[in-house]
Amino acid sequence: MAFGLAVTQHKRAAVVEVTGRIDSSTAPQFEAAVQKLIDDGHNYIVVDLKQTDYMSSAAFRVLISAHKQVHKSTRRGDVRLANVSPKLMETFKLGGFDELFKFYNNQVDAVGSF
Amino acid sequence: MASSKRFHLAITSDMSNLERVAEFVFEVARQTQLSDTIAEHTQMAVDEAVTNVMEHAYGGRADGHIDLDFRVTARELRIEIRDQGAPFDSATIQEPNIHSPLSERAIGGLGVFFMRKLMDKVEFTHDRRGNLTRMTKKLP
């Protein structure tokens, strides 16, 4: 599956939909998309991982960095995740991220949570 | 002595080769009938190990040489990753505290942490021929 990103902006939050593997070769594109949203003043971000079945440490570094920035900007700022597959959730658990991020079954619920 | 199957992949240190490395790991797993879980864990550990070499040994250069050797027996999977880049010792990288809150999470060290969690043994050595990352996974 070729790597791809789609960014949409809603009233409550901005959404980054990722397609394909996030490893060290694709993480810079993911980081650039998320960073642009933060630089444009977005503090409420949803990352939709419906089309992603692999994340390496490089992907988690992007999520941690983004979370730190939006949380610093406003205490309610957050990066929330939608459509994380059970397989991908295993990786979140491996890194101890399953209790740190908020997960939603679909994008609508994730956006609505803000 | 148990029979073993050997597999080899040579790549350059271009990050775009990471997907090829993943395909190679899954192909080895298919040919040696490893379980999906072992295949996925191995793929991730190898992805992190090769990324380390690309980033630390070759400093992001795309023309470095990396050799991957897999040896699979009934008992274990042994992986050797060799490079001729600058010496690096990932064993000294501090492990992240995975119990700290997100706002206090360190950004680095996660790749080696994943390697150690996913494999049974991870070793980093350096000699005249370059760096060697060696990982072992016991097979059920």
Side-chain angles (χ1 to χ4, degrees):
Chain A
M1 201 188 310
F3 184 77
L5 293 159
V7 177
T8 47
Q9 292 172 19
H10 301 262
K11 253 187 189 172
R12 289 170 178 261
V15 178
V16 182
E17 284 180 75
V18 187
T19 303
R21 294 167 56 86
I22 316 179
D23 59 21
S24 286
S25 71
T26 55
Q29 296 173 60
F30 176 44
E31 183 170 30
V34 173
Q35 193 60 51
K36 183 167 188 324
L37 287 173
I38 295 171
D39 292 346
D40 288 346
H42 292 275
N43 293 312
Y44 308 110
I45 297 173
V46 171
V47 177
D48 187 333
L49 296 167
K50 190 177 184 179
Q51 305 290 331
T52 302
D53 66 354
Y54 178 70
M55 287 170 63
S56 76
S57 61
F60 288 98
R61 279 199 287 271
V62 175
L63 291 180
I64 296 168
S65 166
H67 177 274
K68 282 183 176 178
Q69 291 181 70
V70 296
H71 193 65
K72 201 175 170 186
S73 182
T74 161
R75 274 190 61 191
R76 289 184 56 237
D78 203 1
V79 177
R80 296 181 181 171
L81 303 160
N83 290 310
V84 175
S85 69
K87 193 177 118 181
L88 201 54
M89 189 58 101
E90 289 302 315
T91 314
F92 276 87
K93 285 181 184 167
L94 195 68
F97 296 113
D98 54 317
E99 289 172 5
L100 297 178
F101 286 104
K102 291 191 175 81
F103 299 88
Y104 298 86
N105 290 334
N106 57 66
Q107 199 185 112
V108 173
D109 286 355
V111 171
S113 72
F114 281 108
Chain B
M1 201 175 118
S3 66
S4 66
K5 287 185 178 172
R6 288 165 184 264
F7 302 86
H8 176 78
L9 176 71
I11 54 163
T12 62
S13 53
D14 193 316
M15 286 278 182
S16 66
N17 284 323
L18 286 174
E19 193 162 357
R20 206 171 139 207
V21 171
E23 286 166 5
F24 171 73
V25 175
F26 285 124
E27 181 56 24
V28 170
R30 194 186 63 78
Q31 288 194 29
T32 56
Q33 296 176 314
L34 299 180
S35 71
D36 287 351
T37 302
I38 288 178
E40 282 156 14
H41 287 186
T42 304
Q43 187 280 131
M44 185 167 197
V46 171
D47 182 56
E48 299 290 357
V50 172
T51 298
N52 260 342
V53 169
M54 291 171 169
E55 287 179 349
H56 300 295
Y58 290 117
R61 257 175 56 203
D63 62 348
H65 199 85
I66 304 172
D67 282 297
L68 292 89
D69 284 290
F70 282 46
R71 192 176 142 209
V72 188
T73 66
R75 284 187 188 171
E76 65 178 23
L77 164 63
R78 284 190 76 167
I79 299 163
E80 292 193 347
I81 300 166
R82 280 199 173 274
D83 67 81
Q84 288 84 51
F88 73 99
D89 186 359
S90 292
T92 60
I93 294 173
Q94 202 175 1
E95 285 196 359
N97 177 4
I98 68 162
H99 301 296
S100 63
L102 263 183
S103 53
E104 293 169 19
R105 277 291 189 107
I107 299 282
L110 195 58
V112 174
F113 173 80
F114 279 145
M115 287 162 66
R116 292 195 189 283
K117 287 281 266 189
L118 295 166
M119 305 304 277
D120 290 305
K121 198 172 177 186
V122 179
E123 298 166 290
F124 301 94
T125 55
H126 177 81
D127 60 21
R128 281 183 304 130
R129 292 160 64 197
N131 296 302
L132 172 62
T133 307
R134 187 185 280 137
M135 302 190 286
T136 308
K137 179 99 177 158
K138 286 179 193 139
L139 299 179

